[in-house]
Amino acid sequence: MAGYSREVQLATGFLCSSSGAMKLPQLHRKLLQCCDVSEEEFCFIVQECPRFLLVRGERLEDYTVVAKTSLRLCRSYSREKSGGCREESGGCPQLHLCKFFIYGNCRFGKGRKLCKLSHDIRSAHNFELLRDCTLHELHEDQLLLLLLQNDRTLLPEVCLHYNKGSGLHGGCTFQENCTKVHLCQHFVQGDCVFGLRCNRHHAIDQHGRRMLEERGLSGGVIQELPFIYRNIHHLTAAASEKPSDSLHKSVDQTDEREEICLHFTRNSCKFQNECRLVHFHLPYKWEVFDGLTWTDLQHMEDIERDFCDPSKTQSCGNRPVNFLTMTQGWQQVRRLSTVSSVTKPPHYILTTVWLWYYKGDQGNWVEYGQPDEKQRTTSVTSQNLEEAFLSGRTAEVKLVKGQRQYVISLQDMYQRNPKHKTKRRVCRRPRFVSVAEVENIKSMN
C-alpha cells in the first residue's frame, strides 16, 4: 500500500472531516479533485488498506467507507496521578493524552492551572506512534475524531434498555439519571424504518446533552455523536464478525441462495419452477444490478475467462467488470455458480473447481500444490484450502514450502512468514470452463 500513501492520507482526512465516514462514490469523487486515481485503484485501496472499513449496502451508492485506526489511549497514563506510564520511555504502544482534551473540554486546559496530562498530540512519544501509523499529517481535529470512533472506552454506550419498552425513556429504570446515551438503536445501525416518525431519539436530547457535558464532552463533539455511534457500530460489528462469516461475504464466494442448480445444468431438474436454486445452462452466471433487478451481462464467457485468470483484476472490453469490487462502473455485479467440487463426490459433473494461488517472487501467481519457478511445491493444495475455506472451522492454514513454514490467513487472504514477518497475497478463482466444453461434458454423460 506504500505506492498509494498520498491517496490513503487524503482519503483518511476527507473521512475524518466528514464525521468519520463517507459514501463510497462520494469519497472517490472527492479524491479525484486532488489526485488522478482510477476507479480500479480506488477500489483496491479501500478494500486492501487496513485504514478503511467498507460497509456494503444494497446498491453500490449505499456502500460506506469508515475510517479505522489501531491507536488507542493509554489507560495507565490516564490513571496515574502524575500523568506517568511505566513504559513511557518509548515502549508504550498507546497514545499519552488527556481524555478530556479529546473531548474538547478539559477544564484545566483553559485556566491558569495546567493539566497534568498531555494536550500535545504531537509530543515526541505520540508523534512517533502517529508516524508509524502514517497518521502524522492529519490535522488535530481529524485525529481526535478518529480516536473517538475507534477507541470504545472513550464514549458511553448506547442504552439498550432505552430501546426496549414504550415509555418516554423506554425500559430504562434510571431515566434521566442514566449514564448511557439514549439513542434509537436502529438509527445507529442505519435500519430505522420509521424515520422522523420514530418514537426514539435520532439526535442527542437535552438530558443526554447535559449528561455528556458533565462528562466533559464539548458541544461540537456532542453534535457529531449520532454519526460517530453509527461508525462505532460498523467497526464493532466488523471486529466481532467470525472469520467464516466475513469469508462468505467476499466477492469470490457464491451465496447459497444464489446457487445454480446442478441438476438443471447437466440435464433437467425434477422440481422445475419450484426449485429454490437458479436454473441456467452454464455452471456460472454473471449478472448486473440495474437498480431494480439482476440482469444477465453480455459476453459472459469472456468475463468468466478473465475472472479465472488470477493476474486480472478486471475483465476486458469497453465496460469492464472490476473483480475487486464486483462492479461495472458504479453498478453492482455478482457471479452465480454451481456448488464447489469439494462438496460433491468426484463423479458429479459441472461442479465449480476453485483454485487457490499465491503471489510468486516474480509477481506471477502460482497455484498451491504446483511447482514454482524453482520447482518447489507447497504442502497444501487447492483442494485442501478449499475444504478449509468452506468448513469455516479455521481461519488459518499452516503449510511448508522447501525449508520454510508459512501461515495462510483465510480471513484477509494473505500468506505470512511468521519468522521473517513478510506476507504475500492469496487469491481464489475458479477453473475456466468454456461453453463448448460444457456442451461436450453434457453429451458424454
Side-chain angles (χ1 to χ4, degrees):
M1 201 55 66
Y4 297 105
S5 57
R6 180 169 180 265
E7 289 80 1
V8 170
Q9 192 73 27
L10 287 168
T12 306
F14 292 143
L15 292 174
C16 293
S17 296
S18 182
S19 303
M22 292 176 74
K23 294 297 182 184
L24 182 69
Q26 182 188 4
L27 179 60
H28 188 208
R29 288 194 296 268
K30 191 77 174 177
L31 203 56
L32 283 173
Q33 296 175 7
C34 305
C35 51
D36 184 18
V37 55
S38 68
E39 184 181 315
E40 181 183 354
E41 290 174 318
F42 171 69
C43 293
F44 173 76
I45 291 169
V46 170
Q47 292 207 130
E48 296 294 329
C49 182
R51 179 71 53 76
F52 310 115
L53 170 67
L54 183 61
V55 182
R56 299 180 182 274
E58 291 186 5
R59 300 169 302 170
L60 195 66
E61 304 93 88
D62 300 323
Y63 279 35
T64 301
V65 184
V66 183
K68 290 170 56 182
T69 182
S70 59
L71 283 180
R72 300 291 185 267
L73 214 60
C74 176
R75 302 271 77 81
S76 299
Y77 174 81
S78 302
R79 283 195 295 266
E80 292 285 342
K81 291 181 180 180
S82 60
C85 171
R86 294 178 182 177
E87 300 181 66
E88 193 166 6
S89 58
C92 182
Q94 297 171 319
L95 293 169
H96 290 172
L97 281 172
C98 168
K99 177 174 68 174
F100 297 101
F101 165 70
I102 296 176
Y103 290 163
N105 201 23
C106 178
R107 59 192 177 98
F108 294 113
K110 300 176 182 178
R112 294 181 180 179
K113 188 177 180 181
L114 295 178
C115 182
K116 293 180 180 180
L117 302 179
S118 175
H119 285 201
D120 186 4
I121 200 164
R122 301 187 187 280
S123 65
H125 172 81
N126 293 334
F127 186 79
E128 185 176 350
L129 295 176
L130 293 174
R131 187 177 56 194
D132 290 344
C133 295
T134 63
L135 293 170
H136 56 289
E137 294 184 13
L138 291 183
H139 299 307
E140 185 176 280
D141 56 342
Q142 295 173 335
L143 286 167
L144 297 183
L145 185 138
L146 190 61
L147 282 172
L148 280 172
Q149 72 181 30
N150 281 273
D151 191 337
R152 294 178 59 190
T153 65
L154 290 174
L155 295 174
E157 298 176 2
V158 173
C159 180
L160 295 179
H161 296 289
Y162 167 73
N163 283 274
K164 300 175 182 177
S166 57
L168 178 63
H169 299 283
C172 179
T173 56
F174 294 102
Q175 300 186 9
E176 293 188 356
N177 294 319
C178 185
T179 57
K180 297 183 179 181
V181 176
H182 285 187
L183 271 178
C184 171
Q185 188 70 33
H186 291 286
F187 171 77
V188 170
Q189 295 172 359
D191 60 0
C192 181
V193 297
F194 296 107
L196 296 176
R197 296 181 290 106
C198 183
N199 293 326
R200 306 288 178 219
H201 297 309
H202 286 196
I204 305 297
D205 66 346
Q206 289 299 319
H207 148 69
R209 178 173 291 273
R210 186 169 60 252
M211 180 270 294
L212 292 166
E213 286 175 347
E214 289 174 357
R215 292 183 66 139
L217 275 74
S218 67
V221 171
I222 293 173
Q223 186 174 348
E224 296 284 342
L225 279 185
F227 307 103
I228 293 176
Y229 276 116
R230 179 169 294 181
N231 297 338
I232 291 174
H233 164 73
H234 290 316
L235 292 166
T236 303
S240 61
E241 194 174 66
K242 295 179 181 178
S244 58
D245 291 341
S246 59
L247 286 170
H248 289 278
K249 289 180 182 177
S250 78
V251 296
D252 288 341
Q253 177 63 26
T254 302
D255 190 329
E256 232 178 35
R257 293 165 298 176
E258 297 165 354
E259 181 185 306
I260 294 176
C261 177
L262 199 59
H263 298 285
F264 181 87
T265 303
R266 64 184 182 181
N267 191 2
S268 61
C269 174
K270 63 180 181 180
F271 296 107
Q272 299 183 358
N273 293 335
E274 294 181 4
C275 182
R276 65 178 183 84
L277 304 180
V278 176
H279 284 183
F280 197 60
H281 66 284
L282 295 174
Y284 52 84
K285 191 173 192 278
W286 287 86
E287 298 178 335
V288 61
F289 190 66
D290 60 10
L292 296 174
T293 58
W294 290 97
T295 58
D296 290 358
L297 275 169
Q298 295 182 336
H299 312 295
M300 198 175 296
E301 183 180 18
D302 296 333
I303 296 172
E304 177 71 8
R305 182 183 291 107
D306 289 333
F307 182 65
C308 293
D309 184 346
S311 67
K312 293 189 177 182
T313 57
Q314 67 176 34
S315 64
C316 301
N318 295 328
R319 298 199 64 206
V321 172
N322 187 315
F323 299 139
L324 296 176
T325 58
M326 293 301 275
T327 54
Q328 186 181 62
W330 288 114
Q331 290 182 303
Q332 190 174 356
V333 168
R334 68 180 180 181
R335 177 187 182 274
L336 316 184
S337 75
T338 53
V339 295
S340 176
S341 59
V342 302
T343 66
K344 296 293 182 182
H347 66 271
Y348 271 66
I349 64 169
L350 297 178
T351 54
T352 299
V353 178
W354 290 93
L355 305 178
W356 288 74
Y357 303 87
Y358 63 90
K359 201 71 174 286
D361 295 333
Q362 308 301 320
N364 57 318
W365 289 94
V366 182
E367 185 189 343
Y368 282 95
Q370 298 299 314
D372 63 6
E373 61 276 3
K374 296 181 181 179
Q375 299 304 305
R376 298 171 301 182
T377 57
T378 57
S379 58
V380 299
T381 64
S382 288
Q383 181 170 340
N384 300 146
L385 291 173
E386 181 68 9
E387 289 171 349
F389 178 78
L390 293 181
S391 72
R393 290 192 296 269
T394 178
E396 294 186 340
V397 175
K398 295 180 180 179
L399 72 136
V400 176
K401 187 178 80 168
Q403 302 299 316
R404 296 182 178 178
Q405 296 183 349
Y406 300 91
V407 176
I408 300 173
S409 172
L410 298 179
Q411 183 173 7
D412 56 19
M413 298 297 276
Y414 273 100
Q415 175 183 296
R416 301 194 317 274
N417 184 321
K419 182 178 179 181
H420 299 286
K421 307 299 182 184
T422 57
K423 65 180 185 179
R424 59 182 70 204
R425 290 179 61 197
V426 171
C427 183
R428 174 182 182 257
R429 295 288 174 90
R431 176 179 290 158
F432 177 64
V433 183
S434 67
V435 174
E437 189 176 349
V438 170
E439 294 303 318
N440 185 45
I441 291 173
K442 287 181 180 180
S443 65
M444 294 175 62
N445 289 271

